Amino acid sequence: MSSANRWLILSAVMMAFLPVVLDLTILHIAVPSLTIALGASGTEVLWIIDIYALVMAGLLVPMGTLADRMGYRRMLLTGLVVFGGASAAAAFSTSPAMLIGSRAVLGVGASMIMPCVLAIIRTTFEDDGERARALGLWSVVGMAGAAIGPLVGGILLEHFWWGSVFLVNLPVLAVVITLVWFLVPRKVGTGLGPWNIGQAALLVSGLVLTVYGIKTGMKGGINGTVAASLSAGIILLGWFGRLQVSSRNPMLDLSLFLKPAIAAGMLMAFVASGALAGFELVLAQELQYVLGMSPLDAGLFMLPLVIAAAVGGPLGGNLANRFGLRPIATLSMMGAASALFGLASIDLITSPQMTAALLAMLGLCLGIGLLASSIAIMGSAPADKAGAAGALESTGYELGAGIGITFFGVLVNSIYFSAVSRSFSPAADAGGSIGEAMTAAARLGGDEAEAIRTAARSAFTQAHGSVLIITGAMIAVLAAAVFVALRDVKRGGYVSH
């Protein structure tokens, strides 16, 4: 294969990867618009956001195995078509339930695309140096795509309706499908590994039922439905965990967790990706609902956070090589905790320079933390289990994002309702979330509407500050645990023996 063709193939698969990462963050800015348009409750909004990451997390590994069998070109084209169809359905959704379902199918399409992108890069570039450069370009696209998601969403919503954040995928996908069809070689799949779709179904079902029970229970209290959902979810997750330990062909090799460095790395990946995703979502709501910013202004306001997070990965690798993984991993978590404490204590509007600096500090530290987690996991995994470690890491990232959104959203809504109950009566009129309050205010109009808006904004500001302090304290504890767990890791990121 000529050099020119190899780089054209790289361009095609990177374009295929771009909508997948954009959809992780682009919707955060659109939440206020779609909440009012669809009349979505706070719980429904959380499902709209995090069902994408939860489904993707559960299906990444089995879809990668299926791609080995089907052939990467065929699987990638199938995933692109599924992703395109789900994007169109999401754009024209007429109810929260329809949008949640469309986002779930988007997660299925994304789980088919992501393993193929990496596999095609690895099989296209046989030279180690060229492959390293290609993977470096791929990682930049991944970081940049997630970073510009809020800004792209803000630009679209400045001129179009909320569905445009999904519809924008279609012209990109049309070009990508054409390029993949003509450029990527047809190769017969050769994979013989087990296709663990049953175990994946257990994981996804257990996660969805557990998350449903937590979200519903935090809002409406414990009842029969909540108890049944939580019980079923925990049983399914327990069954999944047992299969990973006892099965001859587990979906995820959980024995890797016996290594402290890998366990610490997974915890860092989970927390860092969850904190970044959850914080972005809540910040986007505060900027628009409370501070009255337009979607574009909110996207611009968030740029220090997302750009610094994109820079943090490459910078973290250089810092870890120079100073060692243990101090960099520990300090990145401590820095993130300090930034959260700082953001909880200042006014975002009256202290713009300090706000921008703290947002950049948070993004940079979480970006470095994500890279440090990857070094800890891959550097400590045995050579014959590198693939299993990579699958575990990827699942941890996506799962962390989904659970992080749930954690931030449920905690904010719970504290919000408690705060609004103290300042507004009846509290039910102000909704179980700020989105519900704004929807009710838009429906009522007049002085009553303004009273609801005032109470809701005050309660949300209190809730956001409380959640930042709680999350900062948790990350500070994690920093101490990471410092202990990585005590045997050498400067290059490998465990000493």
Side-chain angles (χ1 to χ4, degrees), residues 74 87 96 103 160 252 310 360 380 422 439:
R74 183 180 173 190
S87 296
R103 287 278 288 173
F160 307 103
L252 298 174
S380 303
R422 294 192 297 269
T439 301

Side-chain angles (χ1 to χ4, degrees), residues 369-380:
L370 284 170
L371 191 281
S373 71
S374 181
I375 295 174
I377 294 166
M378 300 310 295
S380 303

Side-chain angles (χ1 to χ4, degrees), residues 74-160:
R74 183 180 173 190
M75 185 70 162
L76 179 56
L77 287 169
T78 303
L80 290 169
V81 171
V82 171
F83 198 89
S87 296
F92 296 105
S93 293
T94 56
S95 68
M98 182 177 176
L99 185 51
I100 292 168
S102 300
R103 287 278 288 173
V105 179
L106 271 172
V108 174
S111 71
M112 300 170 79
I113 293 169
M114 284 187 68
C116 296
V117 169
L118 278 173
I120 289 173
I121 292 174
R122 286 171 179 163
T123 56
T124 300
F125 293 89
E126 297 179 358
D127 177 77
D128 290 342
E130 280 195 345
R131 185 186 300 128
R133 288 194 294 275
L135 288 171
L137 289 172
W138 165 81
S139 67
V140 169
V141 169
M143 285 291 194
I148 65 172
L151 181 59
V152 172
I155 293 172
L156 288 170
L157 291 174
E158 191 79 3
H159 303 285
F160 307 103

Side-chain angles (χ1 to χ4, degrees), residues 27 31 34-35 38-51 95-100 103 212 215-216 219 413 433 436:
L27 195 56
V31 163
L34 69 86
T35 298
L38 298 179
S41 68
T43 301
E44 287 170 333
V45 166
L46 294 181
W47 277 117
I48 290 168
I49 298 292
D50 65 8
I51 192 67
S95 68
M98 182 177 176
L99 185 51
I100 292 168
R103 287 278 288 173
Y212 173 82
K215 289 177 179 177
T216 307
K219 181 177 181 181
N413 288 346
S433 70
E436 294 175 55

Side-chain angles (χ1 to χ4, degrees), residues 142-450:
M143 285 291 194
I148 65 172
L151 181 59
V152 172
I155 293 172
L156 288 170
L157 291 174
E158 191 79 3
H159 303 285
F160 307 103
W161 96 114
W162 64 266
S164 61
V165 300
F166 297 109
L167 213 57
V168 71
N169 291 334
L170 298 186
V172 176
L173 292 170
V175 173
V176 171
I177 289 172
T178 303
L179 290 174
V180 170
W181 181 271
F182 287 106
L183 291 175
V184 177
R186 292 174 171 83
K187 292 182 180 179
V188 178
T190 57
L192 300 175
W195 191 42
N196 292 314
I197 192 62
Q199 294 182 27
L202 278 178
L203 176 59
V204 173
S205 300
L207 286 171
V208 168
L209 286 169
T210 303
V211 169
Y212 173 82
I214 292 171
K215 289 177 179 177
T216 307
M218 289 292 285
K219 181 177 181 181
I222 303 296
N223 55 35
T225 302
V226 170
S229 177
L230 279 173
S231 299
I234 292 170
I235 289 171
L236 290 178
L237 290 175
W239 186 6
F240 172 80
R242 187 169 183 272
L243 285 175
Q244 304 318 293
V245 175
S246 61
S247 173
R248 294 180 60 184
N249 297 302
M251 177 180 142
L252 298 174
D253 189 350
L254 299 186
S255 67
L256 291 167
F257 278 108
L258 296 176
K259 293 182 175 293
I262 292 180
M266 282 298 299
L267 192 56
M268 286 178 64
F270 191 85
V271 171
S273 60
L276 190 59
F279 177 73
E280 277 187 0
L281 173 62
V282 176
L283 178 62
Q285 292 181 72
E286 178 160 12
L287 294 176
Q288 294 177 76
Y289 283 138
V290 179
L291 302 179
M293 290 188 182
S294 70
L296 178 57
D297 289 339
L300 291 170
F301 190 95
M302 294 170 67
L303 275 182
L305 171 73
V306 292
I307 291 176
V311 171
L315 179 62
N318 293 329
L319 291 174
N321 287 333
R322 184 172 181 180
F323 299 106
L325 178 62
R326 188 189 191 194
I328 295 305
T330 304
L331 289 174
S332 68
M333 293 294 97
M334 286 301 299
S338 300
L340 288 170
F341 291 142
L343 287 166
S345 64
I346 65 171
D347 187 295
L348 299 182
I349 295 301
T350 59
S351 307
Q353 291 85 6
M354 180 61 71
T355 299
L358 288 171
L359 287 174
M361 179 180 174
L362 177 63
L364 186 68
C365 290
L366 290 177
I368 292 173
L370 284 170
L371 191 281
S373 71
S374 181
I375 295 174
I377 294 166
M378 300 310 295
S380 303
D384 61 341
K385 291 190 175 183
L392 197 65
E393 179 184 355
S394 298
T395 302
Y397 284 154
E398 303 304 332
L399 196 56
I403 298 299
I405 288 167
T406 296
F407 173 79
F408 268 77
V410 167
L411 200 55
V412 163
N413 288 346
S414 177
I415 298 173
Y416 163 87
F417 189 75
S418 176
V420 86
S421 299
R422 294 192 297 269
S423 60
F424 190 83
S425 182
D429 289 345
S433 70
I434 191 168
E436 294 175 55
M438 295 304 175
T439 301
R443 184 178 64 251
L444 291 171
D447 293 340
E448 188 177 1
E450 190 54 38

